[in-house]
Amino acid sequence: MTEYAILLYANRDDLVGDGDGTEREEHDRYSEEMQEGGTMIAAFALESYETATSIRAGGITDGPFIEAKEVVLGFYVIEATDLDAALTEARRNPIIHQGGGVEVRPVEGFVVRPTSTE
Amino acid sequence: MENEARRAVADTYQREWARVLAATIRTARDLDLAEEAVQDAFAEALTTWERDGVPKNPGAWLTTAAKRRALDSLRRASTYRMKLQLLVEPEHREGDDAELVTADTGGGDVVADDTMRLVFMCCHPSLSSEAQMALTLRLVCGMTTTDIARCFLVSESTMSARLTRAKKKISIARIPFQVPGPADLPGRLGAVLGVIYLLFTIGHTAPTGEELMKKETVGEALRLALLLHELVPERAEVDGLLALLLVNDARQASRLSVDGRSQRISEQDRSAWDHAAILEARELIAGHVQAEHPDQYTLQASIALLHAEAPTYDEVDWREIVRLYDQLLLAWPSPVVQLNRAVALAKTRGPQAALDVVVGLEDDGQLNRYQYLPAVKAYLLDQLGRSDEAHAARTRAFELAANEVERDFILRQND
């Protein structure tokens, strides 16, 4: 098994969740399915790109690191036998028919510290 | 003895490279390791066959030797092996050890299947189309990096880096060594068809060297097209590509004269063509050619068939050929197609109209390293009686051509 990170992208002018909430619901459902199926190892939904701060050698600037039309909304890590299996899983992501897309990248390694309870 | 062994090794390399490698990948589950094991096995063959004679089934001998070497390396590096990114296992693993022992029996189907796996792995959509083609040429055809670089008109170091990157991606992202399931297959066909077509083109006119055709590469392309046709029956592009390969293969025997010189289609002996294969090709595309927008392979097969079915060169239906080229340009807007169309245009609207097209393509610059552009230009200039300019164009074609037979053909025209 290999871990794959799936990064969610969407057009910053057309962000998921702005509507009546049905788009968000689709994501929740998809996430639950992956948790029940044991495919998903970890998931991180990020706050709006407007809350991002970037650091370069030249200093600190506001906003996302790459000035592009699309921004990262979040990412999750799944376990899959091979790239085809990972792509099959990733293709089910609702973001794809919501005007965005995903990027699938093999994970080289990761560490997760249990979240503090206090 | 020494020469016989050498010849047998070279011959097996051309015919069996893909099959030996594909089978070894199964065992090694690592591309670099498999490639290295296969190369070592060929080196081993050279000394062993010189000493003991050429085995009955050289391909099986090499497969066994390569697998053994791969297994040895894996055992030697057993601790490292834990960290090794192994390629994804194909479904049938149980038979592997048995296969190692009984490799001499051949086992055609399974092996052919492995080659198809290799092709689909090389053509995975997560690889760029340049990488797909380069990988296929390297892994499926065993072509050297130098020759591949020449096909793509890039430097050897660029090609070498491209291949390394692609192989790394296969291993790290775990691109599977398998034929995709029915759900994914249709979306994957385009790249595979493109690569089989490229194999055929390269085999048909080997980019470098002394032989005009690399029969083994053409044979491999045809074999893959047949296999794909079995895998995905009644799909226009698949039928079209198979038909195209069959027609061209049917004419193979007469492309060279007895003394090994290149012959124009107008000079070829039509009775030597394989008319049964031509008929089979016609039947393959019969249901697809009337479609509103036929695919590029069906169209190319139709064009090739019009040439093949004409009783004599003078009876070729050039108007229909120009019409098919017009359709082909919609499916495949390529300057190479425009150049081919220009040749047909010379027959229907005269050499000047065709030359105008060729000069336009020349100004466009995309084909400025393509030897057939100045060759066609020379052919048209000759018809217009502009022999000095024709001579200059032919010299340019000669400079660009790297295949000895083609160089000889161009040279004879300038004598």
Side-chain angles (χ1 to χ4, degrees):
Chain A
M1 291 297 247
T2 301
E3 287 96 34
Y4 293 91
I6 302 173
L7 288 77
L8 277 75
Y9 285 86
N11 193 314
R12 58 167 85 189
D13 302 322
D14 186 23
L15 286 179
V16 178
D18 283 357
D20 53 8
T22 52
E23 290 184 330
R24 184 62 192 239
E25 267 172 38
E26 275 190 280
H27 282 275
D28 290 344
R29 235 184 352 262
Y30 173 56
S31 165
E32 277 160 26
E33 275 170 36
M34 275 190 301
Q35 288 175 58
E36 281 161 18
T39 325
M40 195 164 74
I41 300 171
F44 301 85
L46 303 180
E47 292 287 357
S48 158
Y49 71 94
E50 287 151 331
T51 63
T53 307
S54 301
I55 307 171
R56 287 181 174 79
I60 297 176
T61 50
D62 73 322
F65 193 82
I66 295 166
E67 280 300 325
K69 220 166 69 206
E70 287 86 12
V71 287
V72 181
L73 302 188
F75 62 95
Y76 54 107
V77 179
I78 62 163
E79 222 178 21
T81 48
D82 59 46
L83 183 61
D84 279 354
L87 293 178
T88 303
E89 182 55 58
R91 213 160 21 207
R92 295 176 51 227
N93 196 302
I95 194 89
I96 296 164
H97 68 250
Q98 292 171 355
V102 301
E103 176 182 324
V104 180
R105 289 259 287 272
V107 173
E108 204 236 342
F110 69 91
V111 179
V112 180
R113 191 206 67 167
T115 315
S116 317
T117 43
E118 287 165 50
Chain B
M1 191 62 148
E2 194 182 306
N3 271 339
E4 193 202 340
R6 244 168 232 290
R7 243 197 329 272
V9 170
D11 186 55
T12 315
Y13 188 92
Q14 295 226 312
R15 274 189 300 113
E16 309 263 8
W17 164 273
R19 273 175 261 191
V20 175
L21 179 67
T24 309
I25 288 175
R26 243 173 192 289
T27 302
R29 293 169 57 208
D30 176 82
L31 266 186
D32 286 330
L33 181 62
E35 249 190 298
E36 205 181 282
V38 172
Q39 253 146 13
D40 289 349
F42 273 98
E44 186 189 327
L46 208 55
T47 50
T48 312
W49 297 1
E50 264 176 26
R51 195 185 58 226
D52 305 338
V54 178
K56 222 169 44 232
N57 186 343
W61 189 97
L62 279 156
T63 307
T64 310
K67 281 185 171 182
R68 190 171 295 137
R69 277 173 181 275
L71 284 174
D72 284 351
S73 307
L74 282 174
R75 277 186 203 116
R76 264 201 311 277
S78 60
T79 46
Y80 170 68
R81 189 187 177 185
M82 309 303 286
K83 294 185 209 150
L84 203 66
Q85 283 279 2
L86 293 180
L87 285 172
V88 178
E89 293 174 61
E91 312 85 81
H92 316 290
R93 282 283 294 175
E94 325 80 65
D96 255 21
D97 286 337
E99 202 184 324
L100 195 63
V101 181
T102 60
D104 265 321
T105 57
D109 283 349
V110 180
V111 182
D113 219 28
D114 272 346
T115 311
M116 207 70 211
R117 282 198 179 99
L118 191 58
V119 173
F120 271 96
M121 184 177 80
C122 292
C123 296
H124 198 276
S126 74
L127 297 165
S128 72
S129 61
E130 287 90 356
Q132 292 173 351
M133 305 239 173
L135 267 180
T136 308
L137 294 176
R138 176 77 206 106
L139 298 179
V140 181
C141 304
M143 202 185 267
T144 64
T145 312
T146 319
D147 274 353
I148 305 171
R150 180 181 271 283
C151 290
F152 287 89
L153 312 172
V154 299
S155 74
E156 198 173 332
S157 59
T158 304
M159 185 46 73
S160 170
R162 189 181 292 174
L163 283 166
T164 307
R165 260 199 315 276
K167 283 195 257 181
K168 218 170 140 186
K169 180 155 187 184
I170 288 181
S171 159
I172 292 175
R174 288 178 73 85
I175 292 175
F177 179 60
Q178 68 187 21
V179 174
D184 287 336
L185 194 61
R188 299 278 186 86
L189 275 179
V192 172
L193 289 166
V195 156
I196 296 175
Y197 177 72
L198 180 81
L199 282 186
F200 163 74
T201 325
I202 284 168
H204 212 54
T205 308
T208 58
E210 293 187 355
E211 283 172 80
L212 179 64
M213 289 167 283
K214 285 196 172 152
K215 276 195 195 127
E216 294 74 15
T217 314
V218 175
E220 194 68 9
L222 194 57
R223 204 176 65 77
L224 290 173
L226 278 163
L227 210 60
L228 198 62
H229 177 72
E230 265 174 50
L231 207 64
V232 204
E234 291 180 31
R235 256 191 97 92
E237 311 99 287
V238 179
D239 289 350
L241 181 66
L242 179 57
L244 176 64
L245 266 53
L246 282 172
V247 183
N248 278 285
D249 196 54
R251 295 187 348 214
Q252 183 163 295
S254 61
R255 279 183 72 212
L256 295 181
S257 62
V258 262
D259 53 358
R261 291 180 154 184
S262 186
Q263 291 217 294
R264 283 216 177 101
I265 187 168
S266 54
E267 305 163 345
Q268 292 175 13
D269 174 11
R270 284 168 186 256
S271 68
W273 293 354
D274 179 351
H275 293 279
I278 292 170
L279 194 67
E280 194 186 337
R282 171 57 73 190
E283 281 165 5
L284 273 167
I285 63 159
H288 308 306
V289 75
Q290 299 301 336
E292 196 177 344
H293 298 292
D295 63 280
Q296 54 158 310
Y297 302 112
T298 300
L299 286 167
Q300 286 191 75
S302 307
I303 293 167
L305 274 165
L306 283 182
H307 281 291
E309 290 167 343
T312 64
Y313 182 71
D314 292 331
E315 288 169 81
V316 172
D317 186 350
W318 292 103
R319 255 168 235 294
E320 180 63 6
I321 287 182
V322 172
R323 191 190 69 79
L324 288 166
Y325 270 123
D326 287 339
Q327 270 192 299
L328 182 57
L329 274 173
L330 294 177
W332 185 23
S334 140
V336 173
V337 176
Q338 282 178 355
L339 184 65
N340 282 303
R341 181 181 169 274
V343 178
L345 202 64
K347 300 284 182 187
T348 60
R349 290 186 39 213
Q352 186 59 54
L355 185 63
D356 292 345
V357 175
V358 174
V359 170
L361 285 169
E362 200 172 39
D363 292 343
D364 174 57
Q366 279 189 71
L367 296 182
N368 62 13
R369 297 203 47 80
Y370 191 63
Q371 75 224 43
Y372 298 108
L373 189 137
V376 169
K377 193 179 172 192
Y379 163 77
L380 296 169
L381 285 165
D382 265 338
Q383 292 183 30
L384 291 164
R386 291 156 65 175
S387 49
D388 285 354
E389 291 164 84
H391 192 279
R394 212 163 272 128
T395 305
R396 175 72 184 140
F398 180 77
E399 285 164 7
L400 293 175
N403 179 297
E404 290 305 323
V405 180
E406 290 208 325
R407 286 172 77 108
D408 169 67
F409 179 77
I410 298 165
L411 213 57
R412 274 190 293 142
Q413 308 294 307
N414 255 3
D415 281 344

